[in-house]
Amino acid sequence: MYLRNTVGSNPTLSGLFQTMFFYINIIFLPLIGFFISSIFGRCLGGKGSAITTIFCMILSSFFSFIIFFEVGFSKLPYFIKLLTWFNSEFLLANWGLLFDSLSIIMLIVVTFISTLVHFYSFEYMSHDPHLARFMSFLSLFTFFMLILITADNFIQLFVGWEGVGLCSFLLINFWFTRIQANKAAIKAMIINRIGDFGLALGIFTIYYLFNSVEYQIVFVLVPLYNEFVLTFFDINFSFINIICILLFIGAIGKSAQLGLHTWLPDAMEGPTPVSALIHAATMVTAGVFLLARCSPLFEYAPEALIFVSFVGAITAFFAASTGLLHNDLKRVIAYSTCSQLGYMIFACGLSNYFVGVFHLANHAFFKALLFLSAGSVIHAVSDEQDMRRMGGLKKLIPFTFAVMSIGSFALMGFPFLTGFYSKDVILEVAFSKYNLIGHFCYWFGSIGAFFTAFYSTRLVYLAFLNETNGNRSIILNAHDSSFFMAFPLFLLSFPSVFVGFFNKRFIYWNRN
């Protein structure tokens, strides 16, 4: 193992122990939880497997907060080389970990939300006979996402990228006896294969041009290869533009942008904790993370940035308009995810990557709150998901009403809640560009923001404030969630209100 930071200090014995105990365990504790719950699940039982995976995730989340203060405030990224994966001629790929400001923000989001989803699932899935399998898949999903965000080269990133795609298939299709779950999982897998093929071509092109797949080498060499062109039918195409467009095709698939977005609403066929994890912290954020990670490449590809901004703005508008017309509680929230991802994408396309990542982190908390609150509502009304058959739940499940209102207000950008601090900045950045694509993003984003406020208010009204339209026996038996489901909602409500205010200083400070 080899450890170094940006100031070139040599590792000591205590430094290696600290690295082994904190940095590496953040990544591998979820994998340990997966192996224990999958191999010994029959011996431990569902509850034993759940306790094991929750304990591993709590440790991983705790270590993430320690690394956040150590790396984030010192501004000294750590590079950890674990071993050489393969070395063939000019192609060298290591198993290495990179902890910089972008990685640690994602680590906090992924580990904290995944821990709460594990805790929530302990009660939500308690009556399922395959609880051990479900908890093991959640831990594996988290592990692959952590591999993706801490990778220090494109091939290792691709391993995590494919891993989260595999786990999404397993989790969406968790209830594999249901035909609709089978169809939704296959659809997610096939559509993501299209995006993954674009990402693979982008990585091949990067290696062809730079003779390396290491982030540090590629990003340093970008200015030297800026003038390289590919001539096709007597038309010159910039190699950097080609690479960035291919990488963005991968992001379109994972982050459900217009054209490859249809798998995301269908992913609601999986259990609600899966939806919370996919939409808040793992799979759909991978595309935005890829754009932010590859920002040194995209800054030398102006045509690719225009394409990114256009697709993001169209997606933000389209998904918000679609959310107006759906009556399924989870699908409305799913389309809101698609719309908010459009905001993040076009913020990156306008060269404001830090703003896109800021909204990603803020969005993760209140979107997890919304999905888990939706699970609490569905649990209370005997698995009914049609909002038109609810109503009058404000007095029956007051705690769930309170936390879902917080999530909805944060989603619509209500002043001084978390969503306000990032969503408004994205629109301000778009308006301040003073060019055609900037104003295009601003107007489509503003209209999308109005639609978001409309369907968020509609959701709260139909489910909680409207006259009761449900079955009498179901409404009379409606009840608030137990401690194991309510505690994650309680914890998520605080960052949904305050984290935007506190994080804005950290984001802007890192920018400078």
Side-chain angles (χ1 to χ4, degrees):
M1 186 199 314
Y2 178 65
L3 164 70
R4 66 184 176 89
N5 60 19
T6 54
V7 296
S9 60
N10 293 321
T12 61
L13 185 61
S14 62
L16 286 174
F17 175 77
Q18 179 187 11
T19 302
M20 191 71 182
F21 193 74
F22 290 115
Y23 289 82
I24 298 178
N25 279 341
I26 291 173
I27 313 299
F28 290 103
L29 275 170
L31 184 64
I32 293 171
F34 162 73
F35 278 124
I36 292 175
S37 59
S38 58
I39 295 175
F40 303 105
R42 287 182 179 271
C43 301
L44 296 173
K47 291 186 177 180
S49 299
I51 292 171
T52 302
T53 53
I54 291 170
F55 178 72
C56 290
M57 285 308 310
I58 289 173
L59 284 179
S60 181
S61 182
F62 175 70
F63 294 156
S64 296
F65 279 97
I66 294 176
I67 301 306
F68 176 80
F69 286 104
E70 181 175 336
V71 176
F73 290 101
S74 66
K75 291 188 176 181
L76 294 177
Y78 274 83
F79 302 85
I80 303 172
K81 178 183 174 182
L82 298 176
L83 51 91
T84 299
W85 187 3
F86 54 84
N87 188 356
S88 176
E89 295 293 337
F90 293 106
L91 180 59
L92 172 66
N94 297 314
W95 281 109
L97 304 176
L98 167 61
F99 295 89
D100 60 358
S101 58
L102 177 60
S103 296
I104 60 172
I105 291 172
M106 294 296 295
L107 280 175
I108 291 292
V109 170
V110 172
T111 56
F112 179 71
I113 292 178
S114 182
T115 301
L116 295 182
V117 170
H118 277 70
F119 196 81
Y120 181 92
S121 302
F122 179 71
E123 174 65 23
Y124 189 87
M125 302 291 292
S126 60
H127 301 295
D128 195 292
H130 303 290
L131 177 61
R133 177 165 61 90
F134 183 76
M135 301 302 288
S136 67
F137 286 167
L138 285 183
S139 292
L140 185 64
F141 202 176
T142 307
F143 165 73
F144 277 120
M145 189 63 193
L146 295 176
I147 286 290
L148 189 154
I149 61 181
T150 58
D152 69 346
N153 61 77
F154 284 99
I155 296 182
Q156 189 176 329
L157 176 141
F158 193 72
V159 171
W161 192 274
E162 291 298 305
V164 293
L166 168 66
C167 292
S168 69
F169 174 83
L170 296 174
L171 286 168
I172 295 170
N173 198 31
F174 177 74
W175 289 319
F176 53 83
T177 55
R178 296 173 55 186
I179 298 298
Q180 291 303 318
N182 298 157
K183 291 180 178 179
I186 293 172
K187 187 176 185 179
M189 179 65 76
I190 291 174
I191 291 179
N192 273 277
R193 291 281 71 74
I194 300 171
D196 295 351
F197 182 64
L199 177 62
L201 290 179
I203 295 173
F204 296 155
T205 312
I206 286 172
Y207 177 70
Y208 173 78
L209 185 62
F210 298 102
N211 285 327
S212 177
V213 292
E214 301 283 336
Y215 290 156
Q216 299 175 70
I217 297 174
V218 171
F219 296 157
V220 167
L221 293 178
V222 170
L224 302 178
Y225 289 86
N226 190 33
E227 303 298 328
F228 279 58
V229 296
L230 172 67
T231 303
F232 184 72
F233 281 104
D234 206 28
I235 303 174
N236 291 331
F237 298 93
S238 167
F239 258 112
I240 305 298
N241 272 308
I242 293 173
I243 289 171
C244 290
I245 289 174
L246 289 173
L247 294 178
F248 181 57
I249 291 173
I252 290 175
K254 275 290 184 288
S255 291
Q257 297 300 286
L258 188 64
L260 298 178
H261 69 284
T262 54
W263 68 269
L264 194 62
D266 291 346
M268 299 301 99
E269 294 297 330
T272 301
V274 174
S275 304
L277 196 58
I278 289 177
H279 287 247
T282 52
M283 189 166 173
V284 297
T285 62
V288 182
F289 171 81
L290 177 65
L291 296 183
R293 174 62 77 200
C294 297
S295 56
L297 275 168
F298 279 89
E299 284 304 293
Y300 285 88
E303 291 84 1
L305 285 177
I306 292 174
F307 179 60
V308 170
S309 302
F310 177 80
V311 172
I314 289 291
T315 304
F317 171 80
F318 166 79
S321 63
T322 306
L324 295 172
L325 305 174
H326 276 275
N327 297 308
D328 187 297
L329 183 65
K330 289 173 65 177
R331 282 181 179 267
V332 172
I333 304 175
Y335 275 109
S336 77
T337 301
C338 193
S339 178
Q340 298 306 304
L341 287 167
Y343 284 93
M344 302 173 205
I345 293 290
F346 80 67
C348 293
L350 297 174
S351 298
N352 284 272
Y353 306 94
F354 71 99
V355 176
V357 174
F358 185 30
H359 191 50
L360 184 156
N362 291 351
H363 170 266
F365 294 110
F366 59 75
K367 186 49 59 74
L369 178 62
L370 279 171
F371 265 112
L372 296 184
S373 300
S376 183
V377 173
I378 294 168
H379 189 74
V381 294
S382 303
D383 297 330
E384 179 61 65
Q385 294 185 202
D386 193 330
M387 295 185 295
R388 295 170 299 180
R389 298 180 182 177
M390 298 179 187
L393 298 178
K394 175 185 175 182
K395 296 180 180 179
L396 300 174
I397 48 175
F399 175 76
T400 304
F401 167 66
V403 292
M404 180 159 270
S405 297
I406 291 173
S408 298
F409 279 120
L411 173 63
M412 67 177 72
F414 192 81
F416 309 114
L417 295 186
T418 290
F420 166 77
Y421 291 100
S422 53
K423 196 171 182 178
D424 276 27
V425 171
I426 291 176
L427 296 177
E428 291 172 9
V429 162
F431 185 75
S432 65
K433 281 300 178 180
Y434 296 107
N435 55 26
L436 181 61
I437 190 63
H439 283 279
F440 179 85
C441 293
Y442 170 75
W443 284 109
F444 273 71
S446 298
I447 298 171
F450 170 75
F451 289 162
T452 301
F454 185 88
Y455 66 66
S456 298
T457 305
R458 175 176 175 264
L459 182 150
V460 173
Y461 176 77
L462 289 179
F464 296 96
L465 304 177
N466 192 24
E467 292 294 330
T468 300
N469 292 315
N471 184 279
R472 177 182 174 84
S473 60
I474 292 176
I475 296 299
L476 289 177
N477 291 323
H479 58 280
D480 245 327
S481 301
S482 64
F483 171 78
F484 287 101
M485 290 174 63
F487 184 64
L489 301 179
F490 176 74
L491 289 183
L492 283 169
S493 63
F494 285 97
S496 298
V497 176
F498 299 113
V499 78
F501 175 76
F502 291 109
N503 273 359
K504 66 174 183 177
R505 298 181 181 181
F506 177 74
I507 293 291
Y508 293 137
W509 181 60
N510 265 282
R511 181 195 179 194
N512 297 327

